């Protein structure tokens, strides 16, 4: 380049000073520029020197570069190349490859990346630094999934209504796995929301749910009936004109059942005018006194009162083995029947009512006798005893008709039919009798067969089977239920 008629050489450091090695990025730019000029046809240089295409520098064997690219305008000794002259302006080009140089062997093509030298090897003692360790990530343990809301509803739980401000408490943060509280630490009780209020159904009345009574509740109800107040002494008359229908057995077991619940104040009276057997099957034979002895001393006993009356009457009574009820035995002599007139029977009943709460009377088989009719007129509850046989049922049905004829129809209608099973098993006749007497009496009860009663000997209530005692408890409750308070 000529400046003021004097040729000067441009360099990186200034004018006319030795050139310093050019940086690497400048060498790449020079390579790109000179490579594009080498493809042009050779022409006369302005300085008189022929322009020669400079070949691209190549790496020598070994590590690093063998030489550096000379700076523009500088002369490298021994290279055989004249110093290149720099011309600014005309030679200014873009640093990309010329489209006309396509296909030329020496043309430069821009590459995406500089390939590594195959001969280059890393220092054996060099170790690349390890990548930084990733920062630990602390994840909170997932809380256990809440139970299904439908499962909570099935257990009777109802969520409390939300607060007015919509605030909801956050769940407590779980403790770390390695944390252990001290000995004096006491966790607070978990919060349990109160169940939602449910108003009563109807006009201020709570809804009542009916449930069938179990066997135990039925037994308790029957016992409560027998244990309660009866509104005064009650006379239960066990009647059927036919013999062998379990009148005596029913009288004894009814007195034993009521006495086992009440504990005292229960008496069984054998009012049979012809050789009754109640005294033989119930009570301890501590003496041989019967109704006949009581009637002989009746005038002296009636004037007694209070403890003296009980003491005087006890001399004529027998007691059950467990002491639950008393027994007034009948006379075995047939000639004594003439002395049981209507007036005498009434006096005996009035005396027994003064000392006992429940009086079970075993009536005879003669419906025309004065003692039979007197007991029927004084009875508070009639118990019609029968067995699953046609003749026994016919006799009981005929007796009910007789009571209607003599003006005691109300007593017959409010009667209780007691069907005793003398043999095990179920018969079709028993079902027919239940349906028939249900239309004629207030209630029908059935007591099962018990082998302990088959021998006809002394009756011990505690020796009965549990099912038999349960049936008699229910039957006795039916008899006294109209009077229970």
């Amino acid at each position: 380049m000529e400046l003021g008629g004097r040729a000067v050489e441009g360099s990186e450091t200034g004018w006319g000073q030795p050139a310093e090695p050019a940086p690497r990025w400048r060498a790449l730019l020079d390579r790109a520029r000179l490579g594009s000029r080498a493809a042009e046809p050779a022409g006369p240089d302005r300085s008189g020197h022929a322009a020669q295409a400079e070949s691209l520098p190549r790496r020598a064997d070994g590590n690093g570069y063998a030489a550096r690219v000379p700076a523009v305008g500088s002369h490298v000794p021994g290279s055989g190349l004249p110093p290149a002259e720099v011309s600014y302006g005309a030679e200014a080009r873009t640093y990309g490859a010329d489209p006309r140089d396509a296909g030329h062997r020496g043309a430069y093509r821009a590459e995406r990346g500089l390939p590594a030298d195959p001969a280059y090897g890393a220092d054996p003692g060099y170790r690349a630094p390890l990548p930084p360790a990733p920062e630990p990530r602390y994840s909170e343990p997932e809380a256990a999934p809440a139970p299904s809301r439908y499962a909570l509803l099935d257990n009777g739980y109802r969520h409390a209504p939300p607060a007015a401000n919509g605030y909801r408490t956050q769940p407590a943060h779980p403790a770390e796995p390695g944390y252990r509280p001290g000995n004096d630490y006491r966790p607070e009780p978990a919060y349990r929301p109160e169940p939602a209020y449910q108003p009563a159904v109807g006009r201020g009345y709570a809804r009542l749910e009916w449930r069938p009574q179990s066997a135990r509740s039925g037994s308790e109800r029957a016992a409560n009936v027998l244990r309660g107040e009866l509104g005064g002494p009650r006379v239960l008359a066990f009647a059927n004109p036919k013999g062998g229908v379990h009148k005596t057995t029913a009288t004894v077991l009814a007195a034993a059942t009521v006495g086992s619940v009440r504990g005292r104040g229960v008496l069984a009276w054998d009012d049979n005018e012809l050789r009754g057997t109640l005294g033989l099957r119930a009570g301890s034979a501590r003496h041989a006194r019967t109704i006949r002895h009581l009637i002989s001393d009746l005038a002296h006993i009636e004037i007694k009162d209070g403890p003296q009356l009980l003491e005087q009457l006890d001399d004529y009574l027998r007691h059950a083995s467990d002491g639950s009820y008393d027994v007034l035995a009948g006379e075995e002599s047939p000639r004594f029947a003439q002395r049981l007139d209507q007036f005498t029977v009434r006096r005996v009943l009035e005396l027994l009512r003064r000392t006992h709460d429940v009086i079970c009377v075993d009536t005879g088989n003669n419906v025309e006798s004065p003692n039979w009719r007197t007991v029927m007129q004084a009875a508070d509850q009639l118990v019609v005893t029968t067995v699953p046989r046609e003749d026994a049922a016919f006799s009981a049905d005929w007796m009910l008709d007789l009571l209607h004829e003599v003006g005691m129809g109300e007593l017959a209608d409010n009667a209780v039919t007691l069907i005793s099973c003398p043999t095990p098993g179920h018969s079709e006749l028993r079902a027919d009798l239940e349906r028939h007497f249900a239309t004629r009496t207030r209630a029908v009860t059935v007591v099962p067969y018990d082998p302990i009663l088959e021998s006809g000997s002394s009756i011990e209530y505690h020796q009965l089977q549990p099912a038999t005692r349960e049936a008699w408890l229910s039957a006795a409750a039916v008899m006294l239920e109209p009077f229970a308070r």
Side-chain angles (χ1 to χ4, degrees), residues 11-51:
S11 66
E12 294 291 331
T13 59
W15 302 98
Q17 296 181 4
E20 296 290 339
R24 176 179 175 80
W25 63 270
R26 186 61 178 268
L28 296 177
L29 293 179
D30 292 340
R31 289 169 56 187
R33 183 173 62 84
L34 297 176
S36 60
R37 291 180 60 182
E40 296 179 358
D45 192 276
R46 294 182 182 180
S47 59
H49 300 282

mmCIF file of all heavy atoms in Angstrom, residues 11-51:
data_model
loop_
_atom_site.group_PDB
_atom_site.id
_atom_site.type_symbol
_atom_site.label_atom_id
_atom_site.label_comp_id
_atom_site.label_asym_id
_atom_site.label_seq_id
_atom_site.Cartn_x
_atom_site.Cartn_y
_atom_site.Cartn_z
ATOM 1 N N SER A 11 1.097 -3.699 10.072
ATOM 2 C CA SER A 11 1.257 -4.804 11.025
ATOM 3 C C SER A 11 0.253 -4.652 12.146
ATOM 4 O O SER A 11 -0.465 -3.663 12.235
ATOM 5 C CB SER A 11 2.690 -4.837 11.552
ATOM 6 O OG SER A 11 2.943 -3.682 12.324
ATOM 7 N N GLU A 12 0.276 -5.620 13.050
ATOM 8 C CA GLU A 12 -0.645 -5.607 14.193
ATOM 9 C C GLU A 12 -0.191 -4.609 15.232
ATOM 10 O O GLU A 12 -0.957 -4.207 16.080
ATOM 11 C CB GLU A 12 -0.720 -7.015 14.810
ATOM 12 C CG GLU A 12 -1.350 -8.037 13.891
ATOM 13 C CD GLU A 12 -2.824 -7.764 13.694
ATOM 14 O OE1 GLU A 12 -3.456 -7.198 14.610
ATOM 15 O OE2 GLU A 12 -3.351 -8.093 12.612
ATOM 16 N N THR A 13 1.100 -4.260 15.234
ATOM 17 C CA THR A 13 1.618 -3.427 16.321
ATOM 18 C C THR A 13 1.779 -1.966 15.938
ATOM 19 O O THR A 13 1.944 -1.134 16.806
ATOM 20 C CB THR A 13 2.978 -3.945 16.770
ATOM 21 O OG1 THR A 13 3.860 -3.926 15.663
ATOM 22 C CG2 THR A 13 2.847 -5.378 17.280
ATOM 23 N N GLY A 14 1.759 -1.676 14.624
ATOM 24 C CA GLY A 14 1.956 -0.282 14.228
ATOM 25 C C GLY A 14 2.605 -0.198 12.855
ATOM 26 O O GLY A 14 2.620 -1.145 12.094
ATOM 27 N N TRP A 15 3.194 0.977 12.576
ATOM 28 C CA TRP A 15 3.782 1.196 11.295
ATOM 29 C C TRP A 15 5.271 0.953 11.370
ATOM 30 O O TRP A 15 5.980 1.555 12.144
ATOM 31 C CB TRP A 15 3.539 2.637 10.841
ATOM 32 C CG TRP A 15 2.065 2.965 10.776
ATOM 33 C CD1 TRP A 15 1.344 3.588 11.695
ATOM 34 C CD2 TRP A 15 1.234 2.653 9.714
ATOM 35 N NE1 TRP A 15 0.048 3.714 11.320
ATOM 36 C CE2 TRP A 15 -0.057 3.132 10.042
ATOM 37 C CE3 TRP A 15 1.389 2.029 8.437
ATOM 38 C CZ2 TRP A 15 -1.172 3.000 9.215
ATOM 39 C CZ3 TRP A 15 0.271 1.937 7.627
ATOM 40 C CH2 TRP A 15 -0.984 2.399 8.015
ATOM 41 N N GLY A 16 5.766 0.054 10.452
ATOM 42 C CA GLY A 16 7.193 -0.213 10.316
ATOM 43 C C GLY A 16 7.803 -0.965 11.462
ATOM 44 O O GLY A 16 9.015 -0.987 11.586
ATOM 45 N N GLN A 17 7.006 -1.533 12.370
ATOM 46 C CA GLN A 17 7.535 -2.310 13.487
ATOM 47 C C GLN A 17 7.339 -3.791 13.220
ATOM 48 O O GLN A 17 6.466 -4.178 12.487
ATOM 49 C CB GLN A 17 6.820 -1.925 14.786
ATOM 50 C CG GLN A 17 7.061 -0.475 15.176
ATOM 51 C CD GLN A 17 6.345 -0.142 16.477
ATOM 52 O OE1 GLN A 17 5.760 -1.022 17.081
ATOM 53 N NE2 GLN A 17 6.458 1.135 16.877
ATOM 54 N N PRO A 18 8.206 -4.614 13.816
ATOM 55 C CA PRO A 18 8.047 -6.082 13.608
ATOM 56 C C PRO A 18 6.666 -6.545 14.065
ATOM 57 O O PRO A 18 6.150 -6.104 15.090
ATOM 58 C CB PRO A 18 9.164 -6.685 14.450
ATOM 59 C CG PRO A 18 10.122 -5.576 14.684
ATOM 60 C CD PRO A 18 9.366 -4.304 14.669
ATOM 61 N N ALA A 19 6.127 -7.434 13.289
ATOM 62 C CA ALA A 19 4.753 -7.917 13.579
ATOM 63 C C ALA A 19 4.771 -8.918 14.718
ATOM 64 O O ALA A 19 5.667 -9.744 14.814
ATOM 65 C CB ALA A 19 4.154 -8.564 12.320
ATOM 66 N N GLU A 20 3.791 -8.782 15.560
ATOM 67 C CA GLU A 20 3.577 -9.760 16.637
ATOM 68 C C GLU A 20 2.700 -10.901 16.127
ATOM 69 O O GLU A 20 1.937 -10.730 15.176
ATOM 70 C CB GLU A 20 2.890 -9.096 17.828
ATOM 71 C CG GLU A 20 3.735 -8.007 18.472
ATOM 72 C CD GLU A 20 4.919 -8.580 19.195
ATOM 73 O OE1 GLU A 20 4.877 -9.779 19.537
ATOM 74 O OE2 GLU A 20 5.885 -7.851 19.399
ATOM 75 N N PRO A 21 2.859 -12.046 16.719
ATOM 76 C CA PRO A 21 1.975 -13.166 16.288
ATOM 77 C C PRO A 21 0.516 -12.786 16.431
ATOM 78 O O PRO A 21 0.096 -12.238 17.449
ATOM 79 C CB PRO A 21 2.360 -14.314 17.228
ATOM 80 C CG PRO A 21 3.717 -13.956 17.735
ATOM 81 C CD PRO A 21 3.775 -12.463 17.776
ATOM 82 N N ALA A 22 -0.227 -13.060 15.372
ATOM 83 C CA ALA A 22 -1.661 -12.715 15.378
ATOM 84 C C ALA A 22 -2.441 -13.690 16.248
ATOM 85 O O ALA A 22 -2.073 -14.852 16.382
ATOM 86 C CB ALA A 22 -2.199 -12.748 13.942
ATOM 87 N N PRO A 23 -3.496 -13.229 16.794
ATOM 88 C CA PRO A 23 -4.337 -14.177 17.575
ATOM 89 C C PRO A 23 -4.914 -15.253 16.681
ATOM 90 O O PRO A 23 -4.950 -15.119 15.466
ATOM 91 C CB PRO A 23 -5.435 -13.298 18.162
ATOM 92 C CG PRO A 23 -5.035 -11.887 17.916
ATOM 93 C CD PRO A 23 -4.008 -11.878 16.840
ATOM 94 N N ARG A 24 -5.432 -16.303 17.395
ATOM 95 C CA ARG A 24 -5.960 -17.454 16.633
ATOM 96 C C ARG A 24 -7.191 -17.070 15.825
ATOM 97 O O ARG A 24 -7.362 -17.515 14.702
ATOM 98 C CB ARG A 24 -6.284 -18.593 17.611
ATOM 99 C CG ARG A 24 -6.916 -19.793 16.945
ATOM 100 C CD ARG A 24 -7.185 -20.874 17.977
ATOM 101 N NE ARG A 24 -7.892 -21.980 17.366
ATOM 102 C CZ ARG A 24 -7.333 -22.931 16.647
ATOM 103 N NH1 ARG A 24 -6.022 -22.905 16.442
ATOM 104 N NH2 ARG A 24 -8.032 -23.914 16.131
ATOM 105 N N TRP A 25 -8.036 -16.243 16.399
ATOM 106 C CA TRP A 25 -9.256 -15.897 15.655
ATOM 107 C C TRP A 25 -8.937 -15.092 14.400
ATOM 108 O O TRP A 25 -9.587 -15.213 13.385
ATOM 109 C CB TRP A 25 -10.215 -15.124 16.564
ATOM 110 C CG TRP A 25 -9.693 -13.806 17.044
ATOM 111 C CD1 TRP A 25 -8.993 -13.570 18.159
ATOM 112 C CD2 TRP A 25 -9.835 -12.562 16.375
ATOM 113 N NE1 TRP A 25 -8.666 -12.261 18.285
ATOM 114 C CE2 TRP A 25 -9.191 -11.610 17.180
ATOM 115 C CE3 TRP A 25 -10.426 -12.126 15.171
ATOM 116 C CZ2 TRP A 25 -9.134 -10.259 16.832
ATOM 117 C CZ3 TRP A 25 -10.365 -10.792 14.842
ATOM 118 C CH2 TRP A 25 -9.713 -9.863 15.675
ATOM 119 N N ARG A 26 -7.814 -14.274 14.448
ATOM 120 C CA ARG A 26 -7.439 -13.513 13.262
ATOM 121 C C ARG A 26 -6.850 -14.420 12.192
ATOM 122 O O ARG A 26 -7.075 -14.221 10.997
ATOM 123 C CB ARG A 26 -6.412 -12.447 13.639
ATOM 124 C CG ARG A 26 -6.061 -11.517 12.490
ATOM 125 C CD ARG A 26 -7.301 -10.769 12.029
ATOM 126 N NE ARG A 26 -6.970 -9.842 10.966
ATOM 127 C CZ ARG A 26 -6.632 -8.558 11.165
ATOM 128 N NH1 ARG A 26 -6.534 -8.099 12.408
ATOM 129 N NH2 ARG A 26 -6.380 -7.739 10.153
ATOM 130 N N ALA A 27 -6.162 -15.447 12.636
ATOM 131 C CA ALA A 27 -5.628 -16.403 11.665
ATOM 132 C C ALA A 27 -6.745 -17.115 10.930
ATOM 133 O O ALA A 27 -6.652 -17.375 9.735
ATOM 134 C CB ALA A 27 -4.728 -17.415 12.381
ATOM 135 N N LEU A 28 -7.823 -17.423 11.650
ATOM 136 C CA LEU A 28 -8.951 -18.074 10.980
ATOM 137 C C LEU A 28 -9.584 -17.143 9.963
ATOM 138 O O LEU A 28 -10.025 -17.556 8.894
ATOM 139 C CB LEU A 28 -9.975 -18.538 12.029
ATOM 140 C CG LEU A 28 -9.496 -19.619 13.016
ATOM 141 C CD1 LEU A 28 -10.578 -19.914 14.034
ATOM 142 C CD2 LEU A 28 -9.137 -20.890 12.248
ATOM 143 N N LEU A 29 -9.654 -15.857 10.306
ATOM 144 C CA LEU A 29 -10.238 -14.900 9.352
ATOM 145 C C LEU A 29 -9.342 -14.759 8.119
ATOM 146 O O LEU A 29 -9.837 -14.689 6.994
ATOM 147 C CB LEU A 29 -10.426 -13.538 10.036
ATOM 148 C CG LEU A 29 -11.472 -13.497 11.161
ATOM 149 C CD1 LEU A 29 -11.524 -12.099 11.759
ATOM 150 C CD2 LEU A 29 -12.833 -13.883 10.594
ATOM 151 N N ASP A 30 -7.997 -14.738 8.356
ATOM 152 C CA ASP A 30 -7.104 -14.628 7.216
ATOM 153 C C ASP A 30 -7.198 -15.850 6.332
ATOM 154 O O ASP A 30 -7.106 -15.753 5.103
ATOM 155 C CB ASP A 30 -5.663 -14.457 7.706
ATOM 156 C CG ASP A 30 -5.477 -13.091 8.392
ATOM 157 O OD1 ASP A 30 -6.322 -12.197 8.119
ATOM 158 O OD2 ASP A 30 -4.541 -12.952 9.203
ATOM 159 N N ARG A 31 -7.339 -17.007 6.962
ATOM 160 C CA ARG A 31 -7.463 -18.232 6.159
ATOM 161 C C ARG A 31 -8.701 -18.183 5.303
ATOM 162 O O ARG A 31 -8.709 -18.586 4.145
ATOM 163 C CB ARG A 31 -7.483 -19.463 7.063
ATOM 164 C CG ARG A 31 -6.132 -19.773 7.709
ATOM 165 C CD ARG A 31 -6.270 -20.818 8.793
ATOM 166 N NE ARG A 31 -6.885 -22.019 8.242
ATOM 167 C CZ ARG A 31 -7.262 -23.058 9.004
ATOM 168 N NH1 ARG A 31 -7.090 -23.006 10.316
ATOM 169 N NH2 ARG A 31 -7.783 -24.107 8.425
ATOM 170 N N ALA A 32 -9.780 -17.681 5.895
ATOM 171 C CA ALA A 32 -11.015 -17.602 5.097
ATOM 172 C C ALA A 32 -10.867 -16.606 3.952
ATOM 173 O O ALA A 32 -11.323 -16.836 2.840
ATOM 174 C CB ALA A 32 -12.183 -17.221 6.016
ATOM 175 N N ARG A 33 -10.204 -15.439 4.228
ATOM 176 C CA ARG A 33 -10.068 -14.417 3.176
ATOM 177 C C ARG A 33 -9.095 -14.847 2.084
ATOM 178 O O ARG A 33 -9.360 -14.720 0.900
ATOM 179 C CB ARG A 33 -9.578 -13.107 3.801
ATOM 180 C CG ARG A 33 -9.471 -11.955 2.821
ATOM 181 C CD ARG A 33 -9.146 -10.673 3.544
ATOM 182 N NE ARG A 33 -7.862 -10.779 4.217
ATOM 183 C CZ ARG A 33 -6.695 -10.563 3.608
ATOM 184 N NH1 ARG A 33 -6.636 -10.249 2.341
ATOM 185 N NH2 ARG A 33 -5.558 -10.639 4.274
ATOM 186 N N LEU A 34 -7.919 -15.370 2.458
ATOM 187 C CA LEU A 34 -6.933 -15.776 1.472
ATOM 188 C C LEU A 34 -7.403 -16.975 0.666
ATOM 189 O O LEU A 34 -7.054 -17.124 -0.486
ATOM 190 C CB LEU A 34 -5.588 -16.090 2.147
ATOM 191 C CG LEU A 34 -4.927 -14.891 2.860
ATOM 192 C CD1 LEU A 34 -3.658 -15.345 3.566
ATOM 193 C CD2 LEU A 34 -4.612 -13.812 1.825
ATOM 194 N N GLY A 35 -8.167 -17.847 1.324
ATOM 195 C CA GLY A 35 -8.670 -19.011 0.586
ATOM 196 C C GLY A 35 -9.598 -18.588 -0.527
ATOM 197 O O GLY A 35 -9.630 -19.166 -1.585
ATOM 198 N N SER A 36 -10.397 -17.557 -0.279
ATOM 199 C CA SER A 36 -11.324 -17.110 -1.327
ATOM 200 C C SER A 36 -10.573 -16.375 -2.442
ATOM 201 O O SER A 36 -10.954 -16.433 -3.599
ATOM 202 C CB SER A 36 -12.396 -16.208 -0.717
ATOM 203 O OG SER A 36 -11.791 -15.071 -0.117
ATOM 204 N N ARG A 37 -9.507 -15.708 -2.125
ATOM 205 C CA ARG A 37 -8.744 -14.991 -3.157
ATOM 206 C C ARG A 37 -7.924 -15.942 -4.008
ATOM 207 O O ARG A 37 -7.615 -15.677 -5.145
ATOM 208 C CB ARG A 37 -7.801 -13.975 -2.500
ATOM 209 C CG ARG A 37 -8.557 -12.828 -1.850
ATOM 210 C CD ARG A 37 -7.587 -11.854 -1.229
ATOM 211 N NE ARG A 37 -6.708 -11.327 -2.294
ATOM 212 C CZ ARG A 37 -5.717 -10.475 -2.044
ATOM 213 N NH1 ARG A 37 -5.443 -10.099 -0.794
ATOM 214 N NH2 ARG A 37 -4.959 -10.005 -3.038
ATOM 215 N N ALA A 38 -7.536 -17.083 -3.427
ATOM 216 C CA ALA A 38 -6.736 -18.036 -4.212
ATOM 217 C C ALA A 38 -7.511 -18.603 -5.369
ATOM 218 O O ALA A 38 -6.965 -19.041 -6.356
ATOM 219 C CB ALA A 38 -6.239 -19.169 -3.288
ATOM 220 N N ALA A 39 -8.813 -18.590 -5.298
ATOM 221 C CA ALA A 39 -9.628 -19.140 -6.394
ATOM 222 C C ALA A 39 -9.731 -18.176 -7.558
ATOM 223 O O ALA A 39 -10.158 -18.557 -8.636
ATOM 224 C CB ALA A 39 -11.015 -19.516 -5.858
ATOM 225 N N GLU A 40 -9.390 -16.876 -7.352
ATOM 226 C CA GLU A 40 -9.509 -15.905 -8.434
ATOM 227 C C GLU A 40 -8.306 -16.061 -9.402
ATOM 228 O O GLU A 40 -7.236 -16.524 -9.021
ATOM 229 C CB GLU A 40 -9.519 -14.497 -7.848
ATOM 230 C CG GLU A 40 -10.740 -14.246 -6.953
ATOM 231 C CD GLU A 40 -10.708 -12.846 -6.379
ATOM 232 O OE1 GLU A 40 -9.741 -12.124 -6.655
ATOM 233 O OE2 GLU A 40 -11.662 -12.499 -5.623
ATOM 234 N N PRO A 41 -8.451 -15.641 -10.663
ATOM 235 C CA PRO A 41 -7.317 -15.734 -11.608
ATOM 236 C C PRO A 41 -6.194 -14.795 -11.208
ATOM 237 O O PRO A 41 -6.439 -13.703 -10.709
ATOM 238 C CB PRO A 41 -7.939 -15.332 -12.955
ATOM 239 C CG PRO A 41 -9.191 -14.602 -12.593
ATOM 240 C CD PRO A 41 -9.688 -15.156 -11.308
ATOM 241 N N ALA A 42 -4.984 -15.265 -11.447
ATOM 242 C CA ALA A 42 -3.809 -14.483 -11.038
ATOM 243 C C ALA A 42 -3.669 -13.239 -11.886
ATOM 244 O O ALA A 42 -3.863 -13.261 -13.101
ATOM 245 C CB ALA A 42 -2.538 -15.344 -11.148
ATOM 246 N N GLY A 43 -3.347 -12.180 -11.267
ATOM 247 C CA GLY A 43 -3.170 -10.908 -11.956
ATOM 248 C C GLY A 43 -1.995 -10.143 -11.402
ATOM 249 O O GLY A 43 -1.443 -10.515 -10.375
ATOM 250 N N PRO A 44 -1.631 -9.083 -12.062
ATOM 251 C CA PRO A 44 -0.490 -8.303 -11.567
ATOM 252 C C PRO A 44 -0.834 -7.630 -10.273
ATOM 253 O O PRO A 44 -1.945 -7.118 -10.102
ATOM 254 C CB PRO A 44 -0.217 -7.313 -12.689
ATOM 255 C CG PRO A 44 -1.519 -7.181 -13.395
ATOM 256 C CD PRO A 44 -2.188 -8.492 -13.296
ATOM 257 N N ASP A 45 0.048 -7.751 -9.297
ATOM 258 C CA ASP A 45 -0.127 -7.099 -8.002
ATOM 259 C C ASP A 45 0.255 -5.649 -8.144
ATOM 260 O O ASP A 45 1.057 -5.267 -8.979
ATOM 261 C CB ASP A 45 0.776 -7.790 -6.975
ATOM 262 C CG ASP A 45 0.390 -7.338 -5.597
ATOM 263 O OD1 ASP A 45 0.850 -6.287 -5.145
ATOM 264 O OD2 ASP A 45 -0.411 -8.092 -4.938
ATOM 265 N N ARG A 46 -0.319 -4.824 -7.321
ATOM 266 C CA ARG A 46 -0.051 -3.402 -7.367
ATOM 267 C C ARG A 46 1.409 -3.105 -7.016
ATOM 268 O O ARG A 46 1.965 -2.099 -7.430
ATOM 269 C CB ARG A 46 -0.992 -2.653 -6.420
ATOM 270 C CG ARG A 46 -2.435 -2.735 -6.854
ATOM 271 C CD ARG A 46 -3.328 -1.934 -5.894
ATOM 272 N NE ARG A 46 -4.713 -2.055 -6.306
ATOM 273 C CZ ARG A 46 -5.696 -1.461 -5.639
ATOM 274 N NH1 ARG A 46 -5.408 -0.727 -4.560
ATOM 275 N NH2 ARG A 46 -6.934 -1.593 -6.071
ATOM 276 N N SER A 47 1.979 -3.918 -6.238
ATOM 277 C CA SER A 47 3.375 -3.694 -5.837
ATOM 278 C C SER A 47 4.376 -4.301 -6.816
ATOM 279 O O SER A 47 5.557 -4.258 -6.592
ATOM 280 C CB SER A 47 3.615 -4.271 -4.445
ATOM 281 O OG SER A 47 3.339 -5.644 -4.442
ATOM 282 N N GLY A 48 3.877 -4.963 -7.886
ATOM 283 C CA GLY A 48 4.762 -5.558 -8.882
ATOM 284 C C GLY A 48 5.067 -6.993 -8.637
ATOM 285 O O GLY A 48 5.748 -7.592 -9.427
ATOM 286 N N HIS A 49 4.647 -7.536 -7.550
ATOM 287 C CA HIS A 49 4.892 -8.952 -7.249
ATOM 288 C C HIS A 49 3.719 -9.780 -7.688
ATOM 289 O O HIS A 49 2.575 -9.351 -7.591
ATOM 290 C CB HIS A 49 5.122 -9.154 -5.747
ATOM 291 C CG HIS A 49 6.311 -8.358 -5.248
ATOM 292 N ND1 HIS A 49 7.607 -8.752 -5.437
ATOM 293 C CD2 HIS A 49 6.359 -7.169 -4.572
ATOM 294 C CE1 HIS A 49 8.425 -7.876 -4.890
ATOM 295 N NE2 HIS A 49 7.669 -6.903 -4.350
ATOM 296 N N ALA A 50 4.040 -10.991 -8.198
ATOM 297 C CA ALA A 50 2.962 -11.880 -8.640
ATOM 298 C C ALA A 50 2.263 -12.460 -7.423
ATOM 299 O O ALA A 50 2.896 -12.934 -6.482
ATOM 300 C CB ALA A 50 3.546 -13.011 -9.522
ATOM 301 N N ALA A 51 0.949 -12.417 -7.472
ATOM 302 C CA ALA A 51 0.156 -12.970 -6.345
ATOM 303 C C ALA A 51 0.151 -14.471 -6.427
ATOM 304 O O ALA A 51 -0.126 -15.037 -7.468
ATOM 305 C CB ALA A 51 -1.262 -12.411 -6.394
#
